[in-house]
Amino acid sequence: MLGVICAMEVELSGLVALMENKEKVNIIGYEFIKGEIFGKKLVVALCGIGKANAAAVTALLISNFGVSELINLGVCGGSIGTGKTIVATSVVQYDFDTTAIGDELGKLDGFDSPYIKTSDISDGIACDARGVIASGDRFVSDKATVDFLTTHFGAIGFDMESGAVAQICTKANVKFAVLRVVSDGGDIGEYVNFKELAAKKGIDAVLNYLNN
């Protein structure tokens, strides 16, 4: 079964509207919706913004619904242009910092590298670009941070959830992909104006994946 995790209602509602045979399940305050699209079973969840929420919902999806693959869907900031679709090749948590004890910035405990590679299911998702997504508990809204994420990590996108999804899926040995659509280049005004259009494009990409 496919699991889909989104942080915001605008990223998920269009997908839920198309689901048939829906059943809602609530677990420790998070809502999960099981159903079908194009005859394929899936379960979707609205996790809320941030890595703690994303980690919790990812773990609940895996432990309670037996998902075999998972897509983290949503909008993101990015350096490649508003409206562009990104499928991550790897994800890094840029705000995880144990450099004081000699670690590389972003390297998580128990991982060999700051970069967590996504799974081969990513290959089946159409997109405008593939590359690194940098993830952290901060809305990126200044050029200095955009420049740092681009130069230090080679990131073409930045969000607030995918790092946690990648971490839990890797630990659980569950295949995962990160699909993001750029809503802004690190500008709150762009984000407000384009997040709905970006979210719709992301939903369309998931529907295309399900229909193939």
Side-chain angles (χ1 to χ4, degrees), residues 105-189:
L105 181 64
K107 181 181 175 295
L108 305 176
D109 185 39
F111 287 76
D112 296 330
S113 166
Y115 299 92
I116 303 176
K117 292 183 179 180
T118 56
S119 306
D120 57 5
I121 66 168
S122 302
D123 298 338
I125 303 175
C127 62
D128 296 310
R130 298 180 188 272
V132 177
I133 290 183
S135 188
D137 280 320
R138 176 188 178 190
F139 187 99
V140 176
S141 59
D142 62 281
K143 186 177 185 300
T145 303
V146 173
D147 290 345
F148 172 74
L149 297 178
T150 301
T151 57
H152 188 89
F153 295 108
I156 61 173
F158 28 92
D159 68 22
M160 298 179 65
E161 295 82 31
S162 64
V165 175
Q167 182 177 358
I168 300 301
C169 284
T170 300
K171 284 283 190 179
N173 199 29
V174 170
K175 291 187 176 184
F176 72 98
V178 177
L179 168 61
R180 295 282 178 165
V181 182
V182 178
S183 60
D184 63 277
D187 181 280
I188 189 67

